[in-house]
């Protein structure tokens, strides 16, 4: 009996220490629950198509780094590295059919990212808007939140499950549903510019901008449906360069990285 009591006290002590460590970790992050939007192009790396092994492992490493701080991480993945829906060049196809094909492409990316994260030691769940019970769980809002509370990374696949809605809009919708603190949109440029910085050398970077200015100036941040949804629900967006190592962590720690979209 004494041994059992001693073991119980030791277990409680370890649990208390773990809780203290988690509190200390979380205190360093300005966001406690994030939704990270990864385009399909984020997975293709230098090869320009498909899934590049080193690139997806680096993404997993950066996500783990943030997750280890105690931050709850949800990820919305695109599928443009595999199929771009009705925008696929040289392939005339019905818009709805093309969008559904694009949703299937996001599922491939979600499974690849899940595999990389779990190999890095991060428990991960894929939640799909289209029912595919052999490979993923269906998206149920309360279940998604519970996974986050249990310290699991969740990956949203298949967008909203409806054609005519982009994965940017899906990211805005899911971010609002799970009550994320912010949507982090990963890109290959340093933030939001008044022109394409890859084509215009004098393009100006906005450190901060309002939703209305993004819509009025027709800036290519997210589609107008996604921006409007975030504006109506006060969901801040940070656009940053995921290609620079450590940038995701810097954003979560509150460093001035990329561009922030807010109400004012």
């Amino acid at each position: 009996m004494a041994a059992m009591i001693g073991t119980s006290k030791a277990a409680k002590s370890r649990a208390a220490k773990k809780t203290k460590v988690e509190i200390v970790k979380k205190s360093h992050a300005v966001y406690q629950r994030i939704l990270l939007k990864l385009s399909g192009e984020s997975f293709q790396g230098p090869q320009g198509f498909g899934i590049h092994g080193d690139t997806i492992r680096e993404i997993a490493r950066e996500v783990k780094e943030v997750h280890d701080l105690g931050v709850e991480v949800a990820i919305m993945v695109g599928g443009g590295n595999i199929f771009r829906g009705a925008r696929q060049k040289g392939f005339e196809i019905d818009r709805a059919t093309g969008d559904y094909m694009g949703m299937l492409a996001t599922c491939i990316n979600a499974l690849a990212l899940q595999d990389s994260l779990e190999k890095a030691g991060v428990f991960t769940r894929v939640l799909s808007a289209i029912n595919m019970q052999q490979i993923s769980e269906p998206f149920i809002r309360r279940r998604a939140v519970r996974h986050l509370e249990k310290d699991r990374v969740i990956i949203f696949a298949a967008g909203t499950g409806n054609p005519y809605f982009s994965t940017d809009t899906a990211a805005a919708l899911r971010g609002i549903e799970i009550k994320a603190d912010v949507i982090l949109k990963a890109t290959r440029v340093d933030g939001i510019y008044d022109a394409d910085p890859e084509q215009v050398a004098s393009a100006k970077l906005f450190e901060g901008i309002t939703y209305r200015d993004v819509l009025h100036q027709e800036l290519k941040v997210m589609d107008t449906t996604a921006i409007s949804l975030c504006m109506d629900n006060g969901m801040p967006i940070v656009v940053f360069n995921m290609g620079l190592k450590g940038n995701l962590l810097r954003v979560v720690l509150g460093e001035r990285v990329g561009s922030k979209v807010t109400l004012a």
Side-chain angles (χ1 to χ4, degrees), residues 36-154:
L36 174 64
K37 169 58 172 62
L38 294 174
S39 66
E41 287 81 359
S42 301
F43 294 87
Q44 65 190 18
Q47 65 191 21
F49 65 91
I51 299 171
H52 185 250
D54 289 342
T55 298
I56 199 168
R57 282 190 289 272
E58 179 59 26
I59 292 172
R61 188 198 65 78
E62 296 223 11
V63 170
K64 182 181 187 302
E65 200 170 31
V66 169
H67 183 259
D68 286 346
L69 283 177
V71 177
E72 296 173 356
V73 181
I75 304 171
M76 173 65 70
V77 293
N81 56 318
I82 298 170
F83 190 81
R84 298 196 61 80
R87 294 176 295 165
Q88 188 82 7
K89 290 183 180 179
F91 186 33
E92 295 296 327
I93 192 168
D94 177 75
R95 170 66 189 270
T97 301
D99 284 354
Y100 280 122
M101 292 170 72
M103 291 178 215
L104 297 180
T106 70
C107 296
I108 295 173
N109 285 337
L111 292 175
L113 183 55
Q114 179 187 39
D115 183 75
S116 290
L117 282 167
E118 294 200 329
K119 283 177 178 174
V122 180
F123 292 112
T124 311
R125 297 290 185 271
V126 173
L127 279 66
S128 173
I130 295 177
N131 192 16
M132 288 183 265
Q133 61 187 12
Q134 285 83 1
I135 63 171
S136 64
E137 299 178 15
F139 171 72
I140 299 171
R141 185 181 65 84
R142 288 180 179 271
R143 179 180 291 180
V145 171
R146 188 60 180 146
H147 283 319
L148 292 172
E149 292 171 347
K150 287 187 174 182
D151 207 29
R152 297 165 183 155
V153 168
I154 57 175

Side-chain angles (χ1 to χ4, degrees), residues 36 58 61 65 121 205 215 218 231 237 246:
L36 174 64
E58 179 59 26
R61 188 198 65 78
E65 200 170 31
L205 174 68
L215 294 171
E218 297 183 351
M231 179 173 66
I237 307 165

